[in-house]
């Protein structure tokens, strides 16, 4: 039994020299999908962190809490006051949770589409 196929990564004898374009484009698509997925995860994580900090009544004067709140406000600008509840905690959960879920669904959907390409 003999195997004449080259080790993965090496050029076979009967192939013309040069990189395989489809493998390179597949790797680029995977890197792009990973980047899109990571950005969506970070955005949803920051929104979830703000919800948690709010529900745990974190010190609003703290620099870290201010940063997380400002970032969450920036990420959720389009969903502010969609839900107007009397309970402040429920309002924050819904108004910041909706964009977190949307970022995850859209980001991972785009990443899955890129991986299939």
């Amino acid at each position: 039994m003999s195997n004449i196929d080259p080790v993965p990564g090496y050029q076979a004898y009967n192939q013309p020299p040069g990189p395989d374009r489809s493998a390179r484009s597949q790797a680029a698509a995977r890197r792009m999908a990973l980047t899109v997925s990571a950005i969506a995860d970070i955005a949803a994580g920051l929104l979830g962190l703000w919800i948690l900090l709010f529900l745990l009544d974190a010190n609003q004067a703290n620099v870290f809490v201010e940063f997380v709140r400002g970032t969450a406000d920036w990420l959720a600008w389009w969903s502010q006051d969609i839900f107007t509840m009397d309970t402040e905690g429920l309002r924050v959960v819904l108004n910041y949770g909706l964009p977190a879920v949307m970022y995850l669904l859209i980001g991972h959907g785009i990443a899955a589409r890129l991986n299939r390409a």
Side-chain angles (χ1 to χ4, degrees), residues 109 111-117:
R113 180 75 176 142
L114 286 172
N115 271 331
R116 276 186 259 143

Side-chain angles (χ1 to χ4, degrees), residues 31-83:
R31 281 192 304 271
M32 182 61 75
L34 182 62
T35 302
V36 168
S37 179
I39 290 170
D41 290 344
I42 290 169
L46 283 168
L47 289 165
L49 182 59
W50 167 242
I51 293 170
L52 183 66
L53 289 172
F54 183 85
L55 292 177
L56 294 176
D57 201 26
N59 181 8
Q60 301 283 327
N62 183 290
V63 175
F64 177 71
V65 176
E66 285 179 0
F67 169 76
V68 172
R69 181 180 183 175
T71 306
D73 284 340
W74 183 77
L75 289 169
W77 63 270
W78 57 272
S79 70
Q80 294 301 312
D81 298 327
I82 287 179
F83 301 101

